[in-house]
Amino acid sequence: MIDLRIPILCGLIRLVISFVFPSLKYQLDNTAEFSTPFTSYKSLKEGVYLLRHGFSLYNGGIVHQPPILLAFLQPFMRLGIDYILYSVVDSIICYQIMELANSRSPQFSIFLKKHNGTSIVTIIGLLYALNPLTVLSTISGSSTIFTNLAISSTLFFISKEYILASSIAVAIAGYLSAYPILLVIPLLSLVHGTKPKSFQSILSNKDVKLSILIVLTSVLVFLLLSYQLSGHSYDYISFCYIQHLSFGKSFPNIGLWWYFFIEMFNSFVPFYKAVFNVFLFSFIVPFTMRFHSTPLSAFILSLGWITLTKPYPTLGDYGFFLSFLPLFQKLFGYMKFPVVSALLILHAIILSPLFYHLWIDLGSGNSNFFYALTLIYALGMGSILADITWASLRFEYDKGKPDYSKKITQI
């Protein structure tokens, strides 16, 4: 039984902070850690204003959120209660993660120890509710939270074996933020189950075929609705997706793309943008195929990989990914350097705003200062992914019965 006090506490924390410190939203929205051109609250407000007054949404080159999201947020922003919506959405995410920890499905309970189940679920919920990265991301008004809700809903519904709902949820995630549509690949493995399988057997499964059909249909419906909402124009495709995929706006963020491309000769930029996108995609299928017996590992690793390699990540993405790690309780004993990974992430979180301030506000630093911290973010996230990969392989090698005393250097 889920303790509903935890999701309620999650929402109340965000609600109280937003109410007591109303200026904090705008301060966070001006940071490179919680805001990008494709997720910022200012961009959302601009889009809602243009939509309400019947202006073209994308002529000014400021709005990069899809039309359906803007239409959904319009009544909340008009009444000035959008901070309540954000708090409720985060409460739902917290509840869904707790439900995943409480799931009886073998795909989701395989990594959790059986004893003290209730307390484990409560702790997992508290870790999300009190995570400063998710708290601050919600308060900042970033549209990342809606993508996160769609992704958590994908896992929540598939844990209940609701194929229709989970397929629609992953389509929504892809509609809101382009790259999460790649999560449909590990989702198909979750739909198929943990039985031994090959790529051909996955595609021949009737539930998998149904899921693919639902995702494609949902995306098509969303695009047609967007066409109607944006004044019978396809401009939203360029501003919401093509510019995202091609890194159309070179704004500093905590990702790996921005510094690389501002330093590169223009003639090489198109080629390397394609390379970066291929590199991002190239790990999703191998993760899914290798961890066919533990598809939850494939899904979470794919989510972490997208967070690490996409062009416009935020700390809200990092906090959301880290919130799923407690689901891998049995793997913790296999991890080789969790302390190092945690210290790397903590080091970057503390120093990146300071280095950004030195560079942008004081002018006593330069872009190298801030980019050094983004490399530490990447190193910390990379070490976490490597640790989970190794631990998952060891768990599989031990046939689901962990033996932490066994020393193995290579599998």
Side-chain angles (χ1 to χ4, degrees):
M1 191 71 180
I2 298 296
D3 187 352
L4 293 179
R5 292 175 297 178
I6 305 304
I8 293 172
L9 174 66
C10 175
L12 285 176
I13 290 172
R14 288 138 178 85
L15 199 60
V16 169
I17 295 175
S18 297
F19 183 76
V20 175
F21 304 101
S23 63
L24 184 59
K25 176 193 291 285
Y26 301 99
Q27 293 172 0
L28 292 171
D29 192 44
N30 288 325
T31 65
E33 290 80 16
F34 291 100
S35 178
T36 73
F38 291 83
T39 62
S40 76
Y41 184 72
K42 286 184 290 187
S43 178
L44 275 175
K45 286 190 68 176
E46 179 74 11
V48 168
Y49 178 87
L50 293 173
L51 182 65
R52 186 167 70 242
H53 291 85
F55 296 114
S56 177
L57 292 176
Y58 302 104
N59 273 353
I62 296 175
V63 180
H64 295 281
Q65 283 87 359
I68 296 177
L69 177 62
L70 298 175
F72 172 73
L73 290 174
Q74 182 177 334
F76 297 97
M77 287 191 171
R78 188 172 186 177
L79 296 173
I81 58 172
D82 49 285
Y83 64 96
I84 298 177
L85 172 66
Y86 278 81
S87 301
V88 171
V89 168
D90 229 15
S91 296
I92 295 172
I93 295 174
C94 181
Y95 172 79
Q96 289 176 336
I97 292 176
M98 292 178 69
E99 278 286 356
L100 292 177
N102 197 46
S103 174
R104 297 184 180 276
S105 169
Q107 298 191 88
F108 291 86
S109 62
I110 187 172
F111 296 118
L112 280 170
K113 296 180 180 178
K114 301 301 180 185
H115 62 82
N116 296 326
T118 303
S119 63
I120 292 297
V121 173
T122 301
I123 290 171
I124 289 174
L126 282 172
L127 287 174
Y128 182 85
L130 302 177
N131 186 337
L133 301 184
T134 57
V135 171
L136 294 177
S137 179
T138 303
I139 294 170
S140 73
S142 170
S143 60
T144 298
I145 189 174
F146 299 105
T147 305
N148 292 346
L149 174 63
I151 294 172
S152 66
S153 297
T154 301
L155 287 174
F156 171 75
F157 288 128
I158 200 61
S159 72
K160 306 291 185 183
E161 299 184 355
Y162 300 152
I163 296 175
L164 172 64
S166 64
S167 301
I168 294 174
V170 78
I172 293 173
Y175 170 77
L176 293 175
S177 188
Y179 287 105
I181 196 64
L182 295 175
L183 294 175
V184 72
I185 298 173
L187 173 63
L188 297 179
S189 187
L190 281 166
V191 169
H192 190 281
T194 57
K195 299 175 183 178
K197 50 187 173 279
S198 63
F199 190 67
Q200 290 77 14
S201 69
I202 291 177
L203 293 179
S204 63
N205 183 282
K206 64 178 182 179
D207 289 337
V208 171
K209 291 179 179 179
L210 175 63
S211 181
I212 294 172
L213 179 62
I214 294 168
V215 170
L216 293 176
T217 304
S218 300
V219 170
L220 180 61
V221 170
F222 296 149
L223 294 179
L224 290 175
L225 284 174
S226 298
Y227 173 77
Q228 294 291 330
L229 288 170
S230 57
H232 297 85
S233 170
Y234 289 108
D235 288 345
Y236 70 91
I237 294 178
S238 173
F239 284 89
C240 299
Y241 305 114
I242 296 177
Q243 286 198 23
H244 196 166
L245 297 172
S246 63
F247 197 65
K249 289 198 169 183
S250 300
F251 277 72
N253 57 63
I254 60 172
L256 296 171
W257 289 50
W258 68 273
Y259 188 84
F260 189 85
F261 287 110
I262 65 173
E263 294 292 337
M264 182 177 289
F265 292 115
N266 289 336
S267 56
F268 296 108
V269 167
F271 171 74
Y272 279 101
K273 283 181 178 179
V275 169
F276 272 49
N277 276 295
V278 171
F279 182 61
L280 189 156
F281 169 76
S282 63
F283 276 69
I284 307 300
V285 174
F287 278 145
T288 304
M289 295 180 69
R290 180 59 187 83
F291 295 108
H292 59 82
S293 60
T294 53
L296 180 62
S297 293
F299 193 98
I300 301 304
L301 283 169
S302 298
L303 175 62
W305 180 252
I306 291 171
T307 300
L308 171 62
T309 55
K310 70 180 184 178
Y312 298 100
T314 66
L315 286 182
D317 297 307
Y318 278 69
F320 180 67
F321 165 72
L322 294 174
S323 298
F324 287 104
L325 296 188
L327 297 176
F328 295 92
Q329 190 185 4
K330 287 184 180 179
L331 300 186
F332 291 165
Y334 290 130
M335 292 184 174
K336 293 183 175 182
F337 31 83
V339 175
V340 174
S341 302
L343 289 176
L344 284 169
I345 295 290
L346 185 62
H347 178 85
I349 290 172
I350 293 173
L351 290 183
S352 63
L354 298 177
F355 281 17
Y356 188 81
H357 178 67
L358 285 173
W359 171 31
I360 299 298
D361 298 327
L362 298 183
S364 57
N366 56 44
S367 58
N368 296 326
F369 281 57
F370 184 68
Y371 188 62
L373 268 299
T374 66
L375 292 177
I376 295 177
Y377 277 120
L379 184 60
M381 178 63 78
S383 65
I384 291 171
L385 292 174
D387 239 359
I388 296 175
T389 302
W390 164 258
S392 297
L393 292 170
R394 275 296 313 270
F395 185 81
E396 181 182 310
Y397 181 82
D398 289 336
K399 296 180 173 56
K401 298 179 180 179
D403 183 0
Y404 304 128
S405 62
K406 190 182 297 182
K407 302 298 179 183
I408 299 178
T409 57
Q410 197 172 21
I411 296 180

